[in-house]
Amino acid sequence: AGVKGLAEDSQTATSKMVAGYLKTAAAIYGISKAFQQVKKQTSEYIKAFEIQEKAEIRQAAAARNNPYINGEAVRGLNEYASALQDTMGVGDEAIIQQQAWLTTLQFTEDQIRDVMAAAIDLSATGIMSLEGAVRNISKTFSGLTGELGEALPMLRELTAEELKAGAAVDLIAAQYEGIAEAVRNSISGRRNAFRLMIGDVQEQIGEVFGAMQATMMEKLTPVFEGIGQWFEDNGPRIYAIFTNLPDII
């Protein structure tokens, strides 16, 4: 009877231990599942905000190494990007990315504004992308026309001194002014403008959800660290129990 009692006690203890492990595993799964569900529902909005946030961070970082661009200028350029989005139909995050690049080249705020306006109009013609237009226009300030001179032969008539003084920007602006705005006011342009507006709303929602997610991750970090430690401490024991479970039962 004594041996039988010990066997029954051992079986009961093992069953309780197994039940405890299963309960813990279920709780861990529930936490992980809930977190993944929240992440899935908000990821689209957060991603939209992250793109905007990264562009603005890069702009601010570039300004720290440009003596012509201070905090006030950065704010002004961000506002200018929003204004260009409204009138020319190009996403402000794409504009800010290019403004950040120009900032690293030591351009002044006024030069950046002029280059961006001319580049957006030029890219609206389909001759080249916005990035290509910005890159090529910026090169003219070194006295070179490069690929831009091949696409726009009129620029070849400018001297190196005129190019360095920004004459290429003035010429492009005069030649193509209003193209981007005209495209923006077309049927497809208005549809794109509506999409950009929705994108802005998603960014605003994403900013809120992003902050919430960051707080959640901060609070859950010690929880998951504890879970990891728990499995590290109990893993061999769990494995041994379930491996020998048929023999015990």
Side-chain angles (χ1 to χ4, degrees), residues 14-28 230-231 233-239 241-242:
T14 301
S15 298
K16 288 182 178 179
M17 188 177 298
V18 170
Y21 285 143
L22 291 175
K23 186 176 181 180
T24 301
I28 293 170
W230 185 87
F231 272 106
D233 295 340
N234 295 279
R237 191 179 309 165
I238 296 171
Y239 176 77
I241 288 174
F242 280 93

Side-chain angles (χ1 to χ4, degrees), residues 11-83:
Q11 187 176 16
T12 300
T14 301
S15 298
K16 288 182 178 179
M17 188 177 298
V18 170
Y21 285 143
L22 291 175
K23 186 176 181 180
T24 301
I28 293 170
Y29 176 79
I31 293 172
S32 178
K33 192 72 175 177
F35 180 75
Q36 291 300 323
Q37 187 65 24
V38 171
K39 184 178 179 182
K40 180 180 179 181
Q41 294 296 327
T42 61
S43 61
E44 181 180 352
Y45 301 118
I46 293 174
K47 183 178 180 181
F49 170 68
E50 286 176 343
I51 294 173
Q52 180 79 19
E53 183 182 40
K54 285 180 181 178
E56 293 182 3
I57 288 174
R58 288 170 180 163
Q59 171 69 83
R64 287 198 288 269
N65 297 309
N66 185 331
Y68 306 112
I69 304 294
N70 55 23
E72 183 178 350
V74 168
R75 287 190 293 274
L77 287 171
N78 288 343
E79 291 172 359
Y80 184 61
S82 296

Side-chain angles (χ1 to χ4, degrees), residues 7-231:
E8 290 176 351
D9 291 343
S10 176
Q11 187 176 16
T12 300
T14 301
S15 298
K16 288 182 178 179
M17 188 177 298
V18 170
Y21 285 143
L22 291 175
K23 186 176 181 180
T24 301
I28 293 170
Y29 176 79
I31 293 172
S32 178
K33 192 72 175 177
F35 180 75
Q36 291 300 323
Q37 187 65 24
V38 171
K39 184 178 179 182
K40 180 180 179 181
Q41 294 296 327
T42 61
S43 61
E44 181 180 352
Y45 301 118
I46 293 174
K47 183 178 180 181
F49 170 68
E50 286 176 343
I51 294 173
Q52 180 79 19
E53 183 182 40
K54 285 180 181 178
E56 293 182 3
I57 288 174
R58 288 170 180 163
Q59 171 69 83
R64 287 198 288 269
N65 297 309
N66 185 331
Y68 306 112
I69 304 294
N70 55 23
E72 183 178 350
V74 168
R75 287 190 293 274
L77 287 171
N78 288 343
E79 291 172 359
Y80 184 61
S82 296
L84 288 178
Q85 173 176 298
D86 292 340
T87 58
M88 295 187 170
V90 178
D92 59 347
E93 70 281 353
I95 296 172
I96 293 172
Q97 288 172 4
Q98 297 307 314
Q99 289 179 162
W101 189 79
L102 292 171
T103 300
T104 64
L105 298 181
Q106 308 294 296
F107 277 56
T108 67
E109 181 181 0
D110 288 339
Q111 287 175 327
I112 292 172
R113 288 171 179 261
D114 292 342
V115 169
M116 289 308 307
I120 292 174
D121 274 324
L122 180 59
S123 66
T125 66
I127 294 176
M128 59 186 66
S129 66
L130 174 60
E131 181 178 354
V134 171
R135 297 298 195 266
N136 282 293
I137 292 175
S138 68
K139 291 177 182 177
T140 65
F141 285 84
S142 297
L144 304 171
T145 57
E147 295 178 15
L148 200 59
E150 297 178 8
L152 306 174
M154 59 186 178
L155 296 181
R156 299 176 189 172
E157 300 176 7
L158 299 174
T159 66
E161 289 73 20
E162 288 174 328
L163 290 170
K164 291 178 182 179
V169 178
D170 295 336
L171 191 57
I172 292 171
Q175 185 76 16
Y176 298 106
E177 184 178 7
I179 297 295
E181 188 172 354
V183 172
R184 186 255 179 254
N185 290 328
S186 67
I187 297 297
S188 62
R190 280 181 279 176
R191 185 166 56 246
N192 180 61
F194 183 78
R195 181 184 62 80
L196 292 173
M197 181 190 68
I198 295 299
D200 284 344
V201 174
Q202 288 179 326
E203 289 169 10
Q204 293 166 352
I205 296 173
E207 183 175 7
V208 176
F209 282 161
M212 291 170 58
Q213 188 185 79
T215 300
M216 183 184 297
M217 288 189 292
E218 184 178 346
K219 291 183 180 297
L220 286 178
T221 295
V223 174
F224 280 101
E225 286 176 346
I227 291 171
Q229 186 63 50
W230 185 87
F231 272 106

